Amino acid sequence: MARFTENRWTSAIIPALLIHIPIGTVYCWSVFKQLIADRLHASPASVEWGFSLAIFFLGMSAAFAGPMVEKNIKKSALVSMVCFVVGFAGTGVSIALNFLPGVFICYGAIMGIGLGVGYLTPVKNLMLWFADNKGLATGIAVAGFGLAKAIASPLMEYLIGTVGLVSMFFILAAVYAVMMFVGFLLIKRPAGWVYDPATSHVSRKTILKKPVFWGIWIAFYINITCGLALISQEKDILHDVLKAFPQYANLNPAKFAAAISGIIGLVLAVDSVFNTAGRVGFSTLSDHLKRRETVYQVIFIMSIAVCLLQIFTNSIGNALLWAVLAMLFLVNAGYGGGFSTLPVLLDQHFGTKTVSTTHGLTLSAWAFAGLSGNQLASFVVAHAPDQAHRYAALIPVLTGLFVVALISISLVKYLGDRNVTKAVEDRG
């Protein structure tokens, strides 16, 4: 039993997946949001606040939960489980009572807190157990968050079709409670690690005064904002592209929707695969590079390149499906890679001892991006001068933002290199 509990896979990787796979189902929101709107006789736009609040509370709770995770990983795992399960089950109760504010409170606030604390909990633990491959370890665990949508979406669809929407929430709440409780039981720090308040505590004000922190924050925020902006419109973009295909041109809306549903579903599934591959691949790549910022530079240059491809070929207007898919898949990969590479980038600049606090503060960018990404895309599309090609108007905006992100992370790299050089000179 001692050998089992001292194994880094059973003490770090498995519990991380058991925590991240349940909370990653927040991205399954699109499966049931219209059903909630229909059941509660509410507009889809008003119901959408449930998801926006969940992401906002995820980021903000992570920003404040860092010290708790540093001090007591068992406590944070338990808090995450209770908040997530109560919020998820409470959403079902709110739907049954036809109480929309309850959805905002349970799915948005209570579950959102569980998301933030749960997302943060396994990260430093993985970095301690896999000190030689920090990027790979965090990438595998965070991949569970990205892969959750592919796992849970078909299961949710099945349960909704067989037992109904409300019962789906109750059944999955029970399943996730068991998974996260096992994760709580298994997760533990490496033998010999002791929490030291003197070295593990860091003033948030001190972090927030550092230009390097804000450079990373801005780059991370933009990557999420652009990812969410594109992801929120991808169904409509694909709809417009496929509508131009000769075999679909003369179909009425109902037949057209039925004809392309399989294609849309396949693209979304492949999106999830690229998202997950990006989380593992880019974080693993960072283990083999001198500076972790280089991975972000690769992500932003790749994203700029595929966006420029759309602009120069007018791929959406000309129905160049291959170019549109290249953009969707690679931006999704970069979106996932930005999440998994973040902890090791912060470790490089601020050290492992305080990574839970610095990671939590940086995740506040996720909170604000969750509110701004979809709204940015909706605003640009709605105010495009040429409504016939309204989705194409989004791409130059994303390109410009990715350029800003590239400049920001390049400045972080420059400051990091300069600090290293100064340290060497001081020692010499």
Side-chain angles (χ1 to χ4, degrees):
M1 184 65 184
R3 183 182 298 178
F4 178 78
T5 56
E6 293 301 321
N7 185 294
R8 62 183 184 172
W9 289 89
T10 54
S11 298
I13 288 288
I14 292 176
L17 292 173
L18 288 172
I19 294 171
H20 270 205
I21 288 175
I23 65 176
T25 56
V26 66
Y27 280 132
C28 297
W29 172 254
S30 61
V31 172
F32 48 77
K33 67 176 182 179
Q34 186 62 51
L35 296 175
I36 294 176
D38 294 341
R39 174 81 177 252
L40 274 57
H41 306 290
S43 68
S46 62
V47 171
E48 193 69 49
W49 277 102
F51 178 78
S52 296
L53 287 169
I55 298 300
F56 179 78
F57 275 91
L58 185 163
M60 296 312 295
S61 63
F64 288 98
M68 177 179 67
V69 177
E70 290 278 2
K71 186 176 182 179
N72 192 331
I73 195 174
K74 286 286 191 181
K75 180 180 178 180
S76 65
L78 187 60
V79 168
S80 171
M81 182 197 76
V82 171
C83 289
F84 178 78
V85 172
V86 168
F88 197 82
T91 303
V93 173
S94 301
I95 296 169
L97 297 175
N98 293 317
F99 186 53
L100 182 58
V103 175
F104 298 154
I105 294 169
C106 293
Y107 196 92
I110 299 174
M111 197 184 89
I113 293 171
L115 295 172
V117 178
Y119 189 88
L120 198 59
T121 292
V123 173
K124 178 176 178 175
N125 196 49
L126 287 158
M127 296 171 71
L128 292 173
W129 278 99
F130 291 81
D132 50 343
N133 288 291
K134 295 177 181 179
L136 172 61
T138 56
I140 291 174
V142 177
F145 195 93
L147 196 59
K149 182 178 179 180
I151 297 171
S153 291
L155 178 58
M156 287 181 171
E157 295 275 12
Y158 172 77
L159 289 173
I160 291 171
T162 53
V163 300
L165 179 64
V166 172
S167 296
M168 180 274 291
F169 278 99
F170 296 154
I171 292 172
L172 288 184
V175 172
Y176 294 149
V178 172
M179 291 176 66
M180 296 182 77
F181 185 69
V182 174
F184 156 74
L185 293 176
L186 290 177
I187 197 166
K188 63 178 296 186
R189 299 295 198 197
W193 185 90
V194 179
Y195 173 73
D196 181 1
T199 58
S200 296
H201 174 73
V202 61
S203 168
R204 291 190 180 93
K205 288 184 179 180
T206 301
I207 297 172
L208 295 176
K209 288 179 180 178
K210 293 182 179 293
V212 165
F213 171 80
W214 287 108
I216 295 171
W217 194 98
I218 290 169
F220 184 60
Y221 166 77
I222 291 176
N223 193 44
I224 302 173
T225 296
C226 291
L228 291 176
L230 187 61
I231 291 168
S232 68
Q233 304 299 315
E234 62 183 345
K235 285 187 178 180
D236 294 316
I237 292 172
L238 290 168
H239 182 281
D240 276 14
V241 170
L242 293 171
K243 186 66 177 176
F245 280 37
Q247 61 266 44
Y248 303 127
N250 297 320
L251 296 179
N252 62 46
K255 290 184 177 180
F256 175 64
I260 68 169
S261 62
I263 298 174
I264 299 292
L266 177 61
V267 171
L268 295 181
V270 177
D271 266 349
S272 180
V273 172
F274 270 87
N275 186 307
T276 304
R279 290 172 189 258
V280 178
F282 283 116
S283 61
T284 303
L285 174 63
S286 73
D287 284 333
H288 304 283
L289 298 173
K290 182 180 179 182
R291 302 290 303 181
R292 308 276 186 177
E293 298 94 341
T294 305
V295 171
Y296 274 93
Q297 290 178 315
V298 171
I299 288 172
F300 295 139
I301 291 171
M302 176 184 72
S303 301
I304 292 168
V306 292
C307 286
L308 289 175
L309 175 66
Q310 315 310 306
I311 295 171
F312 289 127
T313 63
N314 187 22
S315 60
I316 298 175
N318 291 328
L320 300 178
L321 183 60
W322 65 269
V324 171
L325 292 179
M327 176 181 66
L328 295 178
F329 294 158
L330 293 180
V331 169
N332 258 288
Y335 175 80
F339 281 103
S340 60
T341 308
L342 179 64
V344 288
L345 174 59
L346 293 168
D347 171 55
Q348 177 178 272
H349 285 279
F350 300 98
T352 304
K353 289 184 180 296
T354 59
V355 75
S356 294
T357 300
T358 54
H359 189 204
L361 282 174
T362 314
L363 287 177
S364 64
W366 197 358
F368 293 103
L371 296 177
S372 63
N374 293 12
Q375 284 75 8
L376 169 68
S378 298
F379 179 83
V380 172
V381 169
H383 292 83
D386 181 7
Q387 282 296 298
H389 302 93
R390 58 192 181 277
Y391 297 109
L394 179 63
I395 310 306
V397 176
L398 299 184
T399 306
L401 288 173
F402 278 128
V403 169
V404 174
L406 177 61
I407 294 171
S408 181
I409 203 65
S410 296
L411 288 173
V412 170
K413 186 177 181 180
Y414 168 75
L415 290 173
D417 286 336
R418 192 177 67 173
N419 290 339
V420 170
T421 301
K422 185 176 183 299
V424 172
E425 291 174 349
D426 290 344
R427 287 196 300 268

